[in-house]
């Protein structure tokens, strides 16, 4: 069972991703903001982290930097879901090591495909 | 006989208790007492309003806490679980599952509308369309349309936001008059909605708009126009020529630049004859940003009769056109003008129009201050 951490302050995104990803057979942990997300990093290693960029307490860029340094997530794949469409933000995210960038409003089917692709790649090169 | 109007000692007429004492008080004291009385009543009124509003908010929160989990569970079950199971073809969504007694209540229906709009803001594709379908199937669009016909402006705004959020078209009869409303908030919302929802003629309201487009409105509209997909972009020269609303003309000039509508340049040139120097400066700015070279000679010709703001725009426009034809004119302005801004802008444009040899020659002939201005203008890091 793959472990996925979802960090997003939007209650709707939290509920939907939890249900949809759990149905796909993944173990999902939800964090309601950046601070809680960083606390959850100590719980267990994660294969994938899905995070928003604009959140209270710690923004997405800080979180991505910390994910890359934390032993439980240094090798995790990172997916950003954000309504920020500025080229700079997208480029900065990729420079920090993000694997996928999905713009809101998003297609759930697309997110699932990207999650599955990243997991497949991980098992292929593991 | 009540105490308020007792018979006086002699039995003649009526007296008010303490009236004599009240009248015996100095005027300043009487004024102070009246003022304190009115203030106390006002503070009590405000305090009751605050308590009442808070209580209403508390009741609404309790209702939301009760209704939202039901909505989320239904949406998860009927839309997300059925749509994303990987099955081919459009899934069958059971909209009847949402026709439950809970949503017969008007307030609960409103919570459902708000929740559906939030969902649609977060999800696109087929799922996003399901939310719109659900909104229409449950007849919630009729409630939003009804709000548009209410007298209060904030209810109208709410109705427009709901229909726009769900991408449901609004008839011109309903929305066009609102684009020219005296109420600024309503006007802005209606204009944004009209551009988003009207696929054929999204700028029709420019024709009837007599209220000004404020700077902030222009930013909002610009964002809506440039981010709405599949929008039919007209030739904005139409409004530059015929509109009586100066703010609409000004906004159209910015759109002409954004969409690089070279066809509109002749209409913009006609605007150089307007008596309004602010609008004229904007037209010159537009021609410069379009790099419309045929206008360069005319700009030089009218230069000496223009106020300072127009002269500065002419210098900038010539710099942007960079044809090299105005180098001598720019040199003259740089050398002999007494206004610093004119000299600075002339120098900026000169270095973009003149050959390197000509620039060196001018540098040699310049005094220390002019040399400094020229060097500054030649710095590639200085944005022009």
């Amino acid at each position: 069972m793959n472990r996925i951490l979802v960090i997003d302050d939007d209650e709707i995104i939290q509920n939907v991703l939890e249900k949809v990803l759990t149905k796909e057979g993944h173990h999902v942990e939800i964090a309601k903001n950046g601070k809680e997300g960083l606390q959850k990093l100590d719980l267990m290693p994660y294969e994938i982290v899905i995070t928003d960029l604009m959140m209270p307490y710690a923004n997405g860029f800080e979180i991505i930097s910390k994910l890359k340094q934390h032993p439980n997530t240094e090798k995790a794949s990172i997916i950003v879901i954000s309504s920020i469409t500025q080229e700079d933000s997208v480029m900065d995210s990729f420079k920090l090591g993000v694997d996928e960038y999905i713009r809101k409003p998003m297609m759930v089917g697309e997110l699932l495909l990207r999650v599955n692709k990243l997991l497949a790649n991980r098992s292929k090169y593991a | 006989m009540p105490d308020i109007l007792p018979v006086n000692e002699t039995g003649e007429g009526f007296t008010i208790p303490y009236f004599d004492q009240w009248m015996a008080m100095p005027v300043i004291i009487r004024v102070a007492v009246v003022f304190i009385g009115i203030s106390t009543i006002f503070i009590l009124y405000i305090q009751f309003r605050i308590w009442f509003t808070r209580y209403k908010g508390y009741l609404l929160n309790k209702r939301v806490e009760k209704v939202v989990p039901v909505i989320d569970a239904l949406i998860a079950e009927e839309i997300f679980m059925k749509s994303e199971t990987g099955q081919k073809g459009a899934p069958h969504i059971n909209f009847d599952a949402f026709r439950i007694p809970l949503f017969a209540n008007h307030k609960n229906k409103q919570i459902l509308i708000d929740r559906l709009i939030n969902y649609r803001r977060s999800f696109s594709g087929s799922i996003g369309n399901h939310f719109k379908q659900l909104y229409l199937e449950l007849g919630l669009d009729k409630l939003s349309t009804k709000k548009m016909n209410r007298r209060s402006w904030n209810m109208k705004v709410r109705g427009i936001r709901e229909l726009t959020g769900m991408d449901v078209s609004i008839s011109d009869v309903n929305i066009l008059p609102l684009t020219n409303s005296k109420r600024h908030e309503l006007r802005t919302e209606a204009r944004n909605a009209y551009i988003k929802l009207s696929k054929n003629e999204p700028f029709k309201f420019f024709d009837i708009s007599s209220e000004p487009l404020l700077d902030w409105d222009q930013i909002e509209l610009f964002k809506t126009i440039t981010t709405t997909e599949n929008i039919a972009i007209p030739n904005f020269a139409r409004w530059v020529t015929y509109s009586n609303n100066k703010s609409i003309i000004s906004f159209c000039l910015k759109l002409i630049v954004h969409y690089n509508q070279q066809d509109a340049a002749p209409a913009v040139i006609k605007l150089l004859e307007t008596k309004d120097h602010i609008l004229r400066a904007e037209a010159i700015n537009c021609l410069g940003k379009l790099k419309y070279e045929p206008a360069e000679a005319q700009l030089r010709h009218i230069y000496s009769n223009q106020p300072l703001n127009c002269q500065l725009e002419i210098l900038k426009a010539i710099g942007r056109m960079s044809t090299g034809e105005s180098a001598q004119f720019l040199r003259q302005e740089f050398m002999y003008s007494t206004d610093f801004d004119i000299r600075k802008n002339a120098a900026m444009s000169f270095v973009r129009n003149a050959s390197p040899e000509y620039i060196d020659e001018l540098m040699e002939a310049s005094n220390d201050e002019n040399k400094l201005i020229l060097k500054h203008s030649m710095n590639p890091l200085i944005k022009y």
Side-chain angles (χ1 to χ4, degrees), chain B residues 17-44:
Chain B
Y18 308 116
F19 184 73
D20 291 340
Q21 290 96 317
W22 168 254
M23 290 307 286
M25 286 178 191
V27 174
I28 188 77
I29 300 293
R30 278 188 274 156
V31 170
V33 170
V34 170
F35 181 75
I36 290 166
I38 292 171
S39 306
T40 310
I41 291 167
F42 184 70
I43 288 168
L44 284 175

Side-chain angles (χ1 to χ4, degrees), chain B residues 37-57:
Chain B
I38 292 171
S39 306
T40 310
I41 291 167
F42 184 70
I43 288 168
L44 284 175
Y45 170 74
I46 295 289
Q47 189 58 51
F48 278 115
R49 281 296 298 263
I50 291 170
W51 284 337
F52 181 66
T53 312
R54 282 186 187 167
Y55 184 65
K56 264 175 72 180

Side-chain angles (χ1 to χ4, degrees), chain A residues 10-13 15-17 19-20 23-24 104-110 112, chain B residues 68 72-73 76 80-81 84-85 115 118-127:
Chain A
D10 185 342
E11 193 199 339
I12 286 177
I13 300 279
N15 290 342
V16 170
L17 294 196
K19 288 202 167 70
V20 169
K23 187 166 178 272
E24 287 284 303
K104 281 185 195 171
M106 63 168 170
M107 289 186 268
V108 179
E110 182 194 357
L112 291 180
Chain B
V68 162
D72 285 349
F80 284 102
M81 292 299 122
E84 298 301 333
T85 49
R115 201 66 177 165
N118 282 339
Y119 269 99
R120 194 168 153 84
R121 226 175 262 155
S122 300
F123 299 100
S124 60
S126 59
I127 296 237

